[in-house]
Amino acid sequence: MKRVAAVGFCCVDNYANLDRHYPTGNGVDCVINMSKKGVDTTVVSVVGTDRYGDEMFEALKTYGVDASHLQRREGDTSFMVMNLNGNDRVHVKNILGVMEDFTLSPEDIAFIKTYDYIHTDYDGRIFHLLPELQAAGCEVIFDCSTKFDKREDTRSILEHVDYAFLSYDKKDDYILDFLKKAQSWGPKVVVSTLGENGSIAYDGSRYYEQPAIPVEKVVNTVGAGDAFCCGFMTGILQGKDIPRCLLMGTMTSHDIIQMFNPY
């Protein structure tokens, strides 16, 4: 099976009011869940010399994710202050720590080019490398989250992306139009999760829709989008069609939101 690298942002999510935390990051969550499905994965990022850095290495080892190019720098691991309101998460503040000056070394870049798919996001700090990575044969997965229509650089980024994932809340003319427009900028497929309203994808020729699967009890919505991306892209790696990929994404997300941790 093809190999997937998560490149860029990672951190620890800390719920001070619950006295709980875990190592995470959009790409980290995605590839850990992919590794659980048997995909060969790696994380290329940076952590500090604190205990949270230790925990990131331990988590990746536990789930069989390669950490040979996870940098370790003197200082603090990026720290996300979280709150949980009911079962919905709130990102309060991010203390960047060693992520603030994260850059890839020439060795990191050469290593990444040996992978078939690259997952990154707006916080990954590798926008300038996407053309080079695509030219080397890497297919780029980009998590636009809820910021897709709030940033001026979305179009220039998506010109060098193969699979784009957005987060929205319902099917309406706005998201249908945006999916079509975004796909025309470069990606093969653009997908939007719609929370309890399911998900929708556009591939340049038609829309595909997938309803949500009812959940008896939602524990934590953190990582729902990352889990969906994991399931969808695992389907792509397996040669599945888009309807099946949407279902696989929905099933993976369905399982994750019933857990506290995002993997």
Side-chain angles (χ1 to χ4, degrees):
M1 186 180 286
K2 306 261 185 201
R3 304 195 302 159
V4 182
V7 185
F9 185 78
C10 74
C11 66
V12 58
D13 277 4
N14 183 65
Y15 300 79
N17 59 325
L18 302 177
D19 193 28
R20 298 185 70 167
H21 69 274
Y22 48 73
T24 184
N26 291 348
V28 171
D29 297 347
C30 182
V31 298
I32 284 180
N33 282 303
M34 292 183 97
S35 183
K36 289 166 65 176
K37 294 178 182 295
V39 180
D40 187 348
T41 61
T42 191
V43 169
V44 182
S45 187
V46 63
V47 294
T49 47
D50 53 10
R51 68 186 180 100
Y52 299 125
D54 294 338
E55 291 175 11
M56 180 66 76
F57 277 100
E58 289 167 7
L60 298 181
K61 180 179 179 181
T62 296
Y63 292 102
V65 179
D66 175 79
S68 62
H69 284 255
L70 177 59
Q71 302 173 18
R72 189 145 211 184
R73 297 184 184 174
E74 188 68 34
D76 298 323
T77 299
S78 184
F79 191 87
M80 189 74 74
V81 181
M82 303 286 291
N83 275 339
L84 195 63
N85 292 337
N87 55 36
D88 196 16
R89 86 290 196 194
V90 177
H91 293 87
V92 179
K93 180 174 65 173
N94 180 219
I95 302 167
L96 281 174
V98 294
M99 275 301 311
E100 188 165 11
D101 59 355
F102 170 68
T103 56
L104 295 173
S105 69
E107 292 76 18
D108 290 333
I109 295 170
F111 173 73
I112 292 165
K113 288 179 180 178
T114 68
Y115 278 73
D116 303 288
Y117 290 82
I118 309 302
H119 179 293
T120 192
D121 54 46
Y122 288 118
D123 298 313
R125 299 170 181 265
I126 65 163
F127 305 153
H128 61 294
L129 291 173
L130 297 185
E132 179 181 344
L133 294 174
Q134 274 194 325
C138 303
E139 297 202 44
V140 178
I141 308 160
F142 197 88
D143 183 357
C144 299
S145 65
T146 60
K147 305 173 186 176
F148 62 92
D149 58 353
K150 302 177 180 66
R151 294 183 56 121
E152 295 181 354
D153 55 356
T154 295
R155 177 170 183 166
S156 63
I157 292 169
L158 292 187
E159 289 174 353
H160 304 287
V161 167
D162 296 278
Y163 297 90
F165 290 84
L166 324 176
S167 179
Y168 195 60
D169 59 356
K170 60 182 178 295
K171 176 187 174 183
D172 59 16
D173 289 342
Y174 177 77
I175 196 63
L176 293 175
D177 289 345
F178 192 90
L179 287 172
K180 183 176 287 189
K181 180 170 60 176
Q183 194 277 335
S184 75
W185 294 337
K188 298 176 182 178
V189 183
V190 182
V191 184
S192 180
T193 55
L194 304 172
E196 63 183 13
N197 295 306
S199 56
I200 188 165
Y202 184 74
D203 67 351
S205 60
R206 58 164 293 190
Y207 294 99
Y208 304 82
E209 297 183 50
Q210 168 65 46
I213 299 174
V215 175
E216 186 172 330
K217 182 181 180 181
V218 176
V219 175
N220 191 351
T221 57
V222 166
D226 304 328
F228 183 95
C229 179
C230 158
F232 186 97
M233 290 307 305
T234 300
I236 292 293
L237 267 61
Q238 294 174 352
K240 308 294 185 185
D241 60 17
I242 292 177
R244 180 62 185 177
C245 291
L246 286 172
L247 177 59
M248 291 174 68
T250 301
M251 293 171 64
T252 308
S253 181
H254 168 271
D255 294 342
I256 290 299
I257 63 176
Q258 297 181 78
M259 303 162 47
F260 186 83
N261 285 18
Y263 43 78

